[in-house]
Amino acid sequence: MFQTRHIEQVIAGIDTSDGAGVKLTRVLTGKLQRRLDPFLMLDAFGSDVPDDYIAGFPDHPHRGFETVTYMLSGRMRHRDSAGHEGLLDNGGVQWMTAGRGVIHSEMPEQEEGVMEGFQLWLNLPAKRKMSDPWYRDFASDSIPEYVTTGGVTVRVIAGSSCGVQGAITRPDTEPLFLDVHLPAGSEFSTEIPATHNAFIYVYRGAVKVGDTAVESRRMGILSAGGGVTLNAETDTRLILIAGHPLNEPIAQYGPFVMNTQEEIHQTLDDFRNGRLA
Ligand code: FE
């Protein structure tokens, strides 16, 4: 019997900008990559000021990992060098496996209104870093959901929760990605494989895990253990993310994540000479 997880650390993230000047909060940064292996990065973006997002993310490369974009509100067009194109819309998910390399753009298709969501970077094991690129869009209505007897709505983006299979499963890292909507006064419990590193990010309201509160716009790193129980005093929304650690060396240079510096040098050489994608 594994212990219930508690909050080990609360993280505020760093306000920054990326792409052509999109304002965002980098919640999971480089120094947490070992603790939260297999996750490499989590960005939270959310603004109703067009200047904060309108410039988007023009053509840029990736190699060696997967990007998962969850759009709570807004529209973004994706195009990549593998010939994939898609429109990410309110509540939808885009899952891209960069593998050996893609060059892609992620551009807003709205000139006003709220754009809010997340981008998560999920590492690939050494044996899959040079695999073929892969891409899929999941419209909001194709993401499995269930509602608990306590009125908690759970959207299962990846993995499975309470017997509900998510939109996507992945080998090796076995990610669990839930979007959990808790009404005021509700409680939610889910199993998390004991092998997994796990965290929550609260984007509305606040939640308590045991005696520790995690407020809005904060990440709570969950301790080792089994499942977790969340309590909400007010209407609360959060994402819960967990994955099986790879326990491999991480060598990162910007949008390239490999295992060794030598592989990074090779990647830069491939990119400069047009062999990346
Ligand atoms: Fe990208």
Side-chain angles (χ1 to χ4, degrees):
M1 190 68 192
F2 287 97
Q3 268 192 313
T4 300
R5 296 175 191 247
H6 60 267
I7 297 290
E8 183 180 289
Q9 197 183 351
V10 175
I11 304 279
I14 296 162
D15 290 331
T16 183
S17 69
D18 207 342
V22 178
K23 284 196 185 159
L24 51 84
T25 302
R26 187 142 295 162
V27 184
L28 197 173
T29 54
K31 63 180 181 179
L32 290 171
Q33 285 175 344
R34 285 252 68 98
R35 175 61 189 85
L36 293 176
D37 181 11
F39 302 104
L40 299 164
M41 192 187 84
L42 176 69
D43 283 346
F45 51 91
S47 176
D48 58 0
V49 180
D51 277 354
D52 289 349
Y53 59 74
I54 206 79
F57 302 87
D59 272 348
H60 60 278
H62 293 289
R63 174 181 277 182
F65 61 100
E66 308 189 77
T67 66
V68 183
T69 310
Y70 181 33
M71 186 68 89
L72 297 170
S73 177
R75 290 202 320 278
M76 190 117 86
R77 171 81 55 184
H78 166 102
R79 284 193 183 89
D80 74 34
S81 53
H84 305 122
E85 180 173 342
L87 183 65
L88 185 57
D89 211 339
N90 294 337
V93 172
Q94 179 210 85
W95 200 292
M96 184 186 80
T97 305
R100 69 171 177 273
V102 295
I103 294 170
H104 76 159
S105 61
E106 301 152 287
M107 300 300 288
E109 278 212 355
Q110 63 187 66
E111 287 171 359
E112 54 180 23
V114 176
M115 179 169 277
E116 183 181 22
F118 304 98
Q119 187 168 86
L120 177 73
W121 288 12
L122 170 62
N123 209 355
L124 283 169
K127 65 182 179 199
R128 292 190 202 274
K129 282 187 179 291
M130 295 299 276
S131 60
D132 290 341
W134 184 90
Y135 166 91
R136 208 173 143 188
D137 280 316
F138 299 89
S140 186
D141 61 8
S142 71
I143 295 172
E145 270 187 25
Y146 66 92
V147 182
T148 70
T149 52
V152 178
T153 300
V154 183
R155 312 192 77 211
V156 188
I157 293 166
S160 69
S161 172
C162 294
V164 176
Q165 193 69 38
I168 193 164
T169 55
R170 303 304 276 158
D172 310 305
T173 51
E174 301 165 18
L176 175 68
F177 190 149
L178 308 179
D179 181 12
V180 185
H181 302 181
L182 299 105
S186 66
E187 177 175 293
F188 172 69
S189 295
T190 187
E191 284 302 312
I192 300 171
T195 52
H196 281 30
N197 287 326
F199 62 93
I200 57 172
Y201 180 83
V202 179
Y203 63 92
R204 297 275 192 287
V207 78
K208 267 193 163 179
V209 182
D211 293 332
T212 310
V214 182
E215 307 288 334
S216 187
R217 295 173 52 79
R218 295 288 181 275
M219 173 169 72
I221 297 177
L222 294 169
S223 66
V228 69
T229 298
L230 310 167
N231 282 279
E233 282 168 22
T234 57
D235 288 352
T236 296
R237 295 186 175 203
L238 58 90
I239 52 175
L240 188 157
I241 292 171
H244 191 278
L246 293 170
N247 293 312
E248 293 178 356
I250 298 168
Q252 178 172 9
Y253 182 83
F256 308 126
V257 184
M258 304 300 288
N259 298 109
T260 67
Q261 280 309 314
E262 200 171 15
E263 289 166 346
I264 290 292
H265 291 143
Q266 182 63 53
T267 299
L268 288 168
D269 194 63
D270 288 348
F271 178 51
R272 286 181 188 128
N273 293 290
R275 292 188 306 262
L276 183 114

